[in-house]
Amino acid sequence: MSFLKSCKKVSKQIIKILHHKDKTLFKKQKKGFGGDVSMKIDLIAEHIFIKEFSKQGNIFSEEIGFIDNKSNYTFVIDPIDGSFNISNGFPYYGSSIAMKNKNGKVIKAFIINLATGDYFYKDKKIKIENNLFYDKTQTLSLNEMILFEKSYANLDICQKLAKNNIKYRSPGALALSLALGHRCKAVIFRGDIRDFDIAAGIYFNNDLHIKIKNNIILMAKRKKDFKELNNVLF
């Protein structure tokens, strides 16, 4: 369980920094490998991940790209998922990391909401949903909410959903939303599909109904919901 222990360790370090009330954390830096303009907190969080996981394998991260440590394992990292939410005090942001073997297959994944401490972990033997600071016994969910990430850039899909009287929310952190796919009616995304955004979340819920086509991701727990949304989106 050293991977999980490392993930928890890194998460606590990042959370501690986020509670320093340092507004310079939101200062914009240069454009990262993934194409987005990084904030200072993105680079700090990435450095913490690199320091911890470079001992264990190669690194492929949103800000810096690929670091070859001559290992059979690669860690695909999104150091901060939802930077805009952090800078605006909206408690829906986190980190995600997927561990891949030499064949490029994800074998372990960890996603955390850094605002709440809720984390999601999966490997070939176990699947865990818990909290960094206390033991969760049960999380209630009606499974009626659709999470539509990047809806603001996909008005055509918004119109289709409205025409079919389908409600949704757009919280703004794709990895977290994918990790919550088992607690939602569905998760939708259309845009640039990047490995560090989706690898961990897709692996965590790979037992659900999932379709990735035409830069669209559709994930649904129930088959009937998947079919309904598939007909609307594709």
Side-chain angles (χ1 to χ4, degrees):
M1 298 290 283
S2 59
F3 172 77
L4 180 56
K5 287 180 180 179
S6 291
C7 290
K8 289 181 178 181
K9 175 184 174 182
V10 167
S11 298
K12 288 178 180 179
Q13 290 175 351
I14 297 172
I15 289 171
K16 185 177 181 180
I17 291 169
L18 288 172
H19 284 82
H20 280 174
K21 297 183 179 179
D22 179 3
K23 285 189 177 181
T24 66
L25 293 176
F26 310 138
K27 187 176 180 180
K28 292 184 179 180
Q29 308 293 307
K30 60 184 180 180
K31 185 177 290 187
F33 175 83
D36 296 331
V37 175
S38 303
M39 291 185 182
K40 183 178 176 181
I41 184 57
D42 294 306
L43 302 180
I44 291 172
E46 182 177 67
H47 176 74
I48 293 171
F49 270 104
I50 291 172
K51 185 178 179 181
E52 180 68 23
F53 286 97
S54 283
K55 312 168 191 174
Q56 305 176 43
N58 309 316
I59 303 291
F60 181 50
S61 179
E62 181 179 12
E63 312 305 330
I64 202 168
F66 187 75
I67 300 175
D68 188 356
N69 292 320
K70 310 301 180 184
S71 173
N72 288 328
Y73 299 101
T74 297
F75 296 97
V76 182
I77 302 168
D78 188 350
I80 295 293
D81 178 32
S83 301
F84 184 79
N85 288 349
I86 291 181
S87 62
N88 286 277
F90 182 63
Y92 195 83
Y93 52 84
S95 300
S96 68
I97 178 168
M99 180 179 181
K100 290 188 174 184
N101 62 20
K102 62 181 180 180
N103 298 318
K105 182 180 179 181
V106 178
I107 56 175
K108 296 180 182 181
F110 178 88
I111 310 101
I112 184 167
N113 185 331
L114 295 168
T116 65
D118 288 344
Y119 70 84
F120 309 85
Y121 170 80
K122 184 178 180 181
D123 60 30
K124 63 181 181 180
K125 293 182 179 180
I126 59 174
K127 184 176 182 179
I128 300 172
E129 179 181 349
N130 211 325
N131 189 280
L132 200 60
F133 305 108
Y134 64 89
D135 288 330
K136 297 181 72 170
T137 55
Q138 186 179 12
T139 301
L140 297 176
S141 174
L142 296 176
N143 297 316
E144 293 178 353
M145 183 175 286
I146 294 175
L147 302 179
F148 180 11
E149 291 292 356
K150 213 168 184 180
S151 60
Y152 63 88
N154 293 286
L155 297 183
D156 57 329
I157 294 180
C158 294
Q159 290 173 347
K160 290 179 181 179
L161 295 174
K163 185 178 179 180
N164 287 273
N165 196 31
I166 298 174
K167 296 181 180 181
Y168 58 88
R169 298 294 183 268
S170 186
L174 179 56
L176 280 179
S177 292
L178 291 172
L180 286 168
H182 63 298
R183 298 208 171 276
C184 303
K185 182 175 181 179
V187 179
I188 301 169
F189 170 81
R190 184 169 72 179
D192 293 333
I193 297 176
R194 307 177 303 180
D195 208 20
F196 28 75
D197 292 328
I198 71 167
I202 291 290
Y203 178 74
F204 183 78
N205 276 321
N206 62 6
D207 55 334
L208 304 185
H209 302 283
I210 300 172
K211 183 173 183 178
I212 303 176
K213 183 180 179 181
N214 299 333
N215 287 332
I216 296 175
I217 299 173
L218 171 60
M219 172 188 287
K221 182 177 182 179
R222 296 180 291 249
K223 191 173 182 179
K224 66 181 185 66
D225 296 329
F226 181 82
K227 284 186 173 180
E228 176 189 10
L229 289 166
N230 184 68
N231 289 336
V232 172
L233 296 172
F234 298 97

